[in-house]
Structures are given as C-alpha cells and as structure tokens.
Amino acid sequence: MTKKHYYLSFLGITCLILTACATIKMNVKTYSDPEKKLLQAKHFTLFPVDKENPLLEKELLFMVKERLIQKGYIYDDENPDFLITISFYCGPFQYYVPPTTIYLPHYVPGETKTYTGSIGSTYVYGTEYSPGKYESKPHTTGGYTATSYYRDIKIYFVDYRELIKSKKVEVIWQGEVYSGGSNSDIRVVAPYLMDEVLGEFPVKTGKSNERTVVFQP
C-alpha cells in the first residue's frame, strides 16, 4: 500500500467511526436524606404529574422503572416504600463556533527536470527526478452560529409511608442530569442520562459529576 492509499484509508476509517458513534457530555448530581435508610427501601411505584406532555412523561418513567427493576427493585403499586416522579425539559439555544484550522495530508507530486548544455566542447545531457511527498496543508473553516439543545431530567424519590401518614411530601433522594447536544428528542439520550444518574442510587459511585458517554445515534 502506498503512502497515498494509506492516508486515504486512514481518513476514510476515521470518518466512518465519527459517523457511527457520538458522545454525550453530561453533568450528574444526586442528593439524599441522610436520616432515611435508603438501602432498606426495595418497593417503588410511579407517580405521573405532567399535564402538558403526559405520554412523553410516561415513556421516561417507564425507562426509570426498567432500570430499577434491573437493579433488583420491585414495582409495587399496593405497598411501595417510595414513589417516583420526574420533571424534564428539552429546548434550543444558539452559540457561536469560531473559525478553526486543521492540517491534513496533501500529496505533492514529484518533478522531472532535464538539463542540456555544453561544458567546453563536451555536450552534457541529464535528467533529475524528485519523488512525490506528503505535506501538511491548512484547511480553515469560517465561524458560524449553531443551534444546540439543552436537556435535563430530574428524578424525585418520595417517602410513600410518610406521605400516607402525614400527607407530607418528603423527598428522600433526588437525581439531576443535564446535557447539551444536537438532538432535540430527549428520548434518544434519556437512556444514557438515566443510566448515569440512577447508577448513583442508593449509594454514590464516586464518579465525577462531569461525564462523557459514547452512543450510537
């Protein structure tokens, strides 16, 4: 394989990887009531509250339900330890992308030079060849304004028994996850956001709040 073919193959593979995969950057925060024994709470139920988009809320709550069941918790409408409610938002914002310059390999073909002339009474003829080579060539793109989407999901775990006994809403655990990206459908990224935030219940993992995950769009 020539150098030219090698660079073309490398660029092609890179493009395929970038096309097939993307990343989600997010910020994850969780809070818990230190006076509550979260490790003993095993039964839960869901409590929808959204009036504007109840079907989307239902889909997101179902994602929460699936993940808790996978963690060993029991869905129980009759006698839960805690009930779960969520709030969510996805909306556009604009930002400026400054000009960028990248350096890509550029093939410079070789040259052939022919020399003729005379030295004294001797006729001289010669050919000189310089091989082709790759050089870095700058490619600059201008600045532009782009649109992205701010996405956030908040999950609240409420003490069910306290709610029934005293009609008081006591949040025993709260998870928040924020993200920005090009996709305006929060359902596309919600599974990845929820994996991270629910992974912090009932005990924190010690991971950084700022996280990046890879996914296939």
Side-chain angles (χ1 to χ4, degrees):
M1 179 182 289
T2 65
K3 286 186 177 181
K4 181 177 182 181
H5 291 143
Y6 172 80
Y7 280 113
L8 290 176
S9 297
F10 173 78
L11 291 174
I13 292 172
T14 302
C15 290
L16 286 174
I17 293 174
L18 292 176
T19 302
C21 299
T23 58
I24 304 174
K25 292 184 178 180
M26 66 184 78
N27 185 284
V28 177
K29 294 179 181 177
T30 61
Y31 311 91
S32 60
D33 186 338
E35 296 181 350
K36 300 294 182 177
K37 298 178 180 179
L38 298 184
L39 290 173
Q40 295 180 3
K42 294 298 180 182
H43 294 239
F44 73 96
T45 189
L46 306 176
F47 189 74
V49 295
D50 192 275
K51 303 299 182 183
E52 295 183 3
N53 200 337
L55 289 179
L56 175 55
E57 180 190 41
K58 191 172 182 178
E59 289 190 54
L60 296 176
L61 281 173
F62 185 76
M63 294 181 192
V64 174
K65 177 182 176 181
E66 284 186 315
R67 280 152 181 78
L68 286 180
I69 290 175
Q70 289 173 359
K71 288 165 69 71
Y73 291 88
I74 301 169
Y75 182 72
D76 182 359
D77 271 336
E78 299 298 327
N79 190 31
D81 297 309
F82 57 92
L83 62 83
I84 299 172
T85 184
I86 64 172
S87 65
F88 53 90
Y89 173 80
C90 183
F93 68 92
Q94 291 189 325
Y95 62 98
Y96 178 70
V97 180
T100 57
T101 299
I102 61 173
Y103 290 83
L104 297 175
H106 173 69
Y107 183 73
V108 180
E111 295 182 348
T112 301
K113 295 181 180 179
T114 301
Y115 301 94
T116 60
S118 298
I119 300 177
S121 59
T122 304
Y123 177 75
V124 177
Y125 174 86
T127 300
E128 181 180 289
Y129 174 74
S130 61
K133 60 182 178 179
Y134 279 92
E135 295 179 349
S136 295
K137 186 177 181 179
H139 294 262
T140 301
T141 58
Y144 60 93
T145 299
T147 299
S148 190
Y149 294 87
Y150 174 79
R151 305 160 305 212
D152 78 66
I153 298 175
K154 296 183 178 70
I155 306 174
Y156 305 94
F157 289 14
V158 176
D159 188 324
Y160 180 77
R161 291 182 172 80
E162 187 64 34
L163 181 64
I164 295 300
K165 183 177 68 175
S166 64
K167 308 301 181 183
K168 182 181 179 182
V169 176
E170 283 194 4
V171 177
I172 59 176
W173 185 88
Q174 177 178 333
E176 304 175 357
V177 55
Y178 309 90
S179 173
S182 61
N183 201 308
S184 61
D185 189 347
I186 196 172
R187 293 171 299 177
V188 175
V189 299
Y192 303 92
L193 303 182
M194 288 184 180
D195 282 344
E196 293 298 318
V197 70
L198 291 175
E200 300 296 320
F201 178 82
V203 180
K204 290 187 177 183
T205 62
K207 293 181 182 178
S208 169
N209 292 346
E210 301 289 338
R211 304 180 192 180
T212 301
V213 298
V214 178
F215 80 111
Q216 283 193 325

